[in-house]
Amino acid sequence: MLVTRWKTPVVINDRGIRITLTSPEEAINWLAHERDQRSSKWRHAWQTCRAVHEGRLPADEARSAVQLVAHGRH
């Protein structure tokens, strides 16, 4: 399995729990458990992480997409 680590992780604070994502693969797992999976930001992040995992996009694109979901939760 291809794992692409980000230079800077995405850090999410969720009701007192700190979640640190360091790769698109970890982000896919987090997205699978995210409460709001109907938003366009969520779908974009999911598709982008899958594309990175499959080697079709650079890892930083997934990081940016995941950040949009993480910061849009508040």
Side-chain angles (χ1 to χ4, degrees), residues 39-51:
S39 73
S40 60
K41 288 179 184 179
W42 184 93
R43 279 191 299 277
H44 175 66
W46 181 269
Q47 292 168 349
T48 305
C49 287
R50 294 293 306 164

Side-chain angles (χ1 to χ4, degrees), residues 2-12 21-31 40-71:
L2 175 67
V3 175
T4 308
R5 299 274 178 220
W6 295 319
K7 291 179 184 175
T8 306
V10 174
V11 178
I12 303 161
L21 305 174
T22 63
S23 70
E25 293 77 13
E26 288 178 1
I28 287 171
N29 188 43
W30 174 74
L31 287 164
S40 60
K41 288 179 184 179
W42 184 93
R43 279 191 299 277
H44 175 66
W46 181 269
Q47 292 168 349
T48 305
C49 287
R50 294 293 306 164
V52 169
H53 176 70
E54 294 167 2
R56 295 183 286 123
L57 289 174
D60 286 338
E61 287 192 37
R63 186 179 181 282
S64 297
V66 169
Q67 280 185 308
L68 288 174
V69 175
H71 295 305

